[in-house]
Amino acid sequence: MSLRYPLALAVLCVAASSWALAASGSMRIVNDWGGGFQAEVTVSNDGGATLSGWTVEFDMPIGIGNIWGGVVQSASGGHFVIGPADYTANVPPGGSVSFGFIGSPGNVSAVPVTVNGGAASSSRSSVSSSSSSVSSSSSSASSSSVSSSSSASSSTANLHQIVVRARGLAGTETIRLQVGGSTVQEWTLGTTLADHTAETALTGPVVVAFINDAGVDHDVQIDHIRIDGQIREAEDQAVNTGVWADGRCGGGGYSEWLHCNGQIDFGPIGAGSSSSSASGGSSSSSAACDLPATLNWTSSGPLIEPKNGNVSVKDPSIVRFGGFWHVFATVYNSNWASVYLRFDDFSRAGGAQHLPFAPGGSSTVAPQVFYFEPHGLWYLITQWPGRYSTNSDIADPNGWSPLRPLLAGEPSGALDFWLICSDTDCYLFFSRDDGALYLSKTPIGDFPNFSGYTTVMSGPRNVLFEAPAVYKLRGLNKYLLLVEGWESGPRFYRAWTATSLDGPWTPYRTSEAAPFAGEANVAYPEGRWTRDVSHGELLRAGYDQRMEIDACNLAFLYQGRDPAVSTDYDLLPYRLGLLRAQP
């Protein structure tokens, strides 16, 4: 985990901008995994008038990685000063707001909270401390401030916080943040993705530049920047003068990478059209499409075949990130195991190296991989039983943490877990091969802690069998549910839609004659190599927990097999192919 703020001691003070208003506060530890933890701080308005603007100050023996619902205004000498995000600034009488953050190390306890300099909410006594001046912070090995510093106690109304999430390939690369043509900050990068934070009152175009290219193996990856809490993805930006493409530097855009001295232009501060905070890596300016009334597909031949002595490759999870397709899949030889591969184009998928990985020594089966934006981490969900692993770098198969339990009270036979989140809650769908679809739900601030479950739908076993997946249609208030099953012939996918993740779900394409994807609506120009359209994933428009898809360009990575082969299920020769929806 990258840490962008230094160590501190343990007390928390909350101060409102209007000191006469009565307020109280509390902290709780939502999740603690030893190496880090997630905390939530709640500010409550106990007075009779709206609390407009507040400031949280605390000292705690941790470093903070990511924060949501609040903005770090300063961090100096172990003292944190946090103000509200736009959507948590105003607290109505009797109401409350919360912000959360990821801290490190773990094995911590919640600290007592004082509000407006009042008494602590626990028996521990409060400790007052003064704010100090700060203009920037970073988790890199070194940084040099070029901007003038500002006092944390002065007004920050005209200041913009800019966070650059980046890494270097060698660990000696230097990047420069510029706003309106003026340099704000420079940082020397480490080799893992880390947040680098600065504040400025400047306005105009925001540019991140790579300034000390030293040749081969000296590259910079800019994951994204956050301007006042709003994310702008590097791969969504058209201007990138440092990416190597078409045989030259600056030969393309829409990339996270700076291979040469050059820059990515993130647009001006305040330009909503450049922000992709709700898109998870997808372009927010693209047109929104509804699902077609008539749906037909064209299939490739087998694009990904088993290697290294395995008899099958199946259950893929696929993510587009950093200019590559990242695929996580299940393989079988004498046991079930996990592989990771990546490629820049499907025409080169067959040549990709299959890298085995086993988080904490355990294989993963039927994985789902996504970036959980509030934590700034990649998550992998797996089964038998439901568990999760995290990683700061999707391209590092050895970076996955040991598996941890996902669902308290998980029923026997649960499999094929699928995670999708709204802005407020996370939904964990799963099957049991018994003709029912199940769901566990938790507030987004409590993720990944799930407990208990309900039945969403039930019916014949062949209708609601396994491999559920739920997506949000980009730009629309509409969700798509897919479930694998069969009728009288091979496996195929049925589909339902809803305007809420809580349902109800309305049939969309649910028969063998008119499936979402199956033998009846798939053409094979290269020759039919499978009758099954089995366990797979739609290609997403983003990569985060929202699971957005672009219904204008539907594509589906799925598993199929030679129908002439009849053997034990474990030995069935599954391969992966790609469906593309016909216009």
Side-chain angles (χ1 to χ4, degrees):
M1 176 178 301
S2 60
L3 304 178
R4 64 174 188 245
Y5 303 115
L7 298 179
L9 298 172
V11 85
L12 177 66
C13 305
V14 179
S17 59
S18 176
W19 299 102
L21 297 177
S24 60
S26 63
M27 175 188 283
R28 71 184 183 106
I29 305 301
V30 176
N31 190 25
D32 194 319
W33 52 93
F37 68 96
Q38 177 187 343
E40 181 182 68
V41 176
T42 299
V43 179
S44 301
N45 182 2
D46 304 322
T50 297
L51 179 64
S52 298
W54 45 264
T55 300
V56 169
E57 302 180 30
F58 65 91
D59 299 280
M60 196 174 181
I62 51 96
I64 292 182
N66 290 342
I67 187 169
W68 56 98
V71 176
V72 176
Q73 296 179 344
S74 71
S76 179
H79 184 70
F80 298 92
V81 179
I82 298 174
D86 291 342
Y87 58 91
T88 58
N90 296 317
V91 190
S96 63
V97 297
S98 299
F99 68 87
F101 62 86
I102 301 298
S104 178
N107 298 318
V108 298
S109 300
V111 300
V113 174
T114 62
V115 179
N116 297 350
S121 59
S122 72
S123 60
R124 296 181 63 177
S125 60
S126 63
V127 179
S128 63
S129 61
S130 60
S131 300
S132 59
S133 173
V134 67
S135 61
S136 64
S137 61
S138 171
S139 61
S140 62
S142 63
S143 65
S144 59
S145 175
V146 184
S147 62
S148 58
S149 63
S150 59
S151 172
S153 61
S154 64
S155 173
T156 59
N158 296 321
L159 286 178
H160 298 283
Q161 184 189 67
I162 303 176
V163 180
V164 181
R165 187 163 181 82
R167 73 179 181 102
L169 201 60
T172 58
E173 296 88 347
T174 299
I175 59 173
R176 176 183 294 153
L177 172 66
Q178 293 181 309
V179 177
S182 298
T183 298
V184 176
Q185 186 80 16
E186 293 180 3
W187 298 280
T188 297
L189 303 176
T191 56
T192 57
L193 284 171
D195 288 346
H196 307 274
T197 305
E199 289 184 343
T200 182
L202 296 171
T203 59
V206 179
V207 167
V208 179
F210 178 23
I211 63 173
N212 69 332
D213 182 26
V216 178
D217 296 331
H218 285 73
D219 300 324
V220 167
Q221 179 188 7
I222 308 294
D223 183 16
H224 62 254
I225 69 169
R226 297 196 299 275
I227 301 178
D228 297 330
Q230 299 297 306
I231 289 181
R232 301 185 187 183
E233 302 288 351
E235 63 265 41
D236 290 345
Q237 313 309 318
V239 178
N240 182 331
T241 64
V243 65
W244 181 269
D246 293 333
R248 63 185 177 89
C249 290
Y254 304 104
S255 176
E256 295 184 329
W257 288 93
L258 293 162
H259 303 103
C260 322
N261 285 339
Q263 65 187 41
I264 300 177
D265 186 345
F266 287 90
I269 287 180
S273 62
S274 295
S275 174
S276 61
S277 61
S279 66
S282 63
S283 173
S284 58
S285 62
S286 299
C289 291
D290 202 348
L291 295 167
T294 301
L295 181 58
N296 293 290
W297 306 85
T298 298
S299 177
S300 70
L303 295 178
I304 300 174
E305 305 207 34
K307 297 183 178 182
N308 306 322
N310 293 310
V311 299
S312 65
V313 56
K314 61 194 300 287
D315 309 332
S317 184
I318 182 167
V319 178
R320 180 70 178 181
F321 182 78
F324 290 92
W325 294 106
H326 303 262
V327 176
F328 300 80
T330 308
V331 295
Y332 186 84
N333 189 334
S334 57
N335 294 290
W336 296 110
S338 322
V339 294
Y340 161 77
L341 58 150
R342 72 171 189 172
F343 46 88
D344 60 353
D345 188 86
F346 280 101
S347 64
R348 288 182 279 276
Q353 183 179 7
H354 290 202
L355 301 174
F357 70 99
S362 300
S363 293
T364 65
V365 177
Q368 182 200 14
V369 175
F370 57 91
Y371 183 77
F372 190 67
E373 198 172 72
H375 293 180
L377 290 170
W378 294 96
Y379 272 77
L380 183 149
I381 305 296
T382 185
Q383 65 180 39
W384 297 346
R387 292 173 294 174
Y388 72 89
S389 175
T390 62
N391 197 338
S392 62
D393 184 357
I394 191 174
D396 180 8
N398 296 317
W400 292 100
S401 67
L403 295 171
R404 294 179 61 86
L406 180 65
L407 173 59
E410 177 184 331
S412 62
L415 76 165
D416 293 341
F417 293 90
W418 182 270
L419 187 285
I420 182 173
C421 299
S422 67
D423 289 338
T424 57
D425 297 288
C426 290
Y427 297 73
L428 185 68
F429 293 87
F430 62 95
S431 297
R432 298 175 68 192
D433 285 353
D434 63 353
L437 176 68
Y438 300 94
L439 170 66
S440 185
K441 179 180 175 182
T442 194
I444 196 167
D446 289 344
F447 175 83
N449 298 314
F450 290 90
S451 179
Y453 62 95
T454 59
T455 301
V456 179
M457 294 191 295
S458 60
R461 182 171 181 259
N462 66 295
V463 173
L464 296 168
F465 188 54
E466 61 187 16
V470 183
Y471 304 90
K472 184 182 185 300
L473 273 63
R474 186 178 62 186
L476 299 177
N477 183 35
K478 192 171 189 176
Y479 294 90
L480 173 68
L481 163 66
L482 305 181
V483 181
E484 181 185 345
W486 73 92
E487 196 164 307
S488 61
R491 297 285 189 96
F492 68 92
Y493 269 93
R494 295 176 171 88
W496 294 258
T497 62
T499 57
S500 168
L501 287 169
D502 293 299
W505 296 96
T506 302
Y508 166 50
R509 298 182 66 87
T510 57
S511 71
E512 188 174 50
F516 178 78
E519 188 175 40
N521 67 341
V522 177
Y524 293 84
E526 301 176 25
R528 182 178 293 276
W529 59 278
T530 179
R531 294 186 65 201
D532 289 323
V533 176
S534 185
H535 197 131
E537 276 195 14
L538 287 169
L539 305 193
R540 304 174 219 161
Y543 50 79
D544 67 13
Q545 73 279 356
R546 297 174 181 88
M547 298 298 155
E548 290 188 332
I549 58 170
D550 177 8
C552 304
N553 299 286
L554 289 174
F556 189 57
L557 184 67
Y558 73 105
Q559 67 183 35
R561 63 183 180 90
D562 183 349
V565 176
S566 178
T567 183
D568 293 339
Y569 179 82
D570 293 353
L571 299 177
L572 289 173
Y574 281 105
R575 276 84 173 122
L576 303 182
L578 183 69
L579 301 181
R580 291 196 183 274
Q582 298 177 7

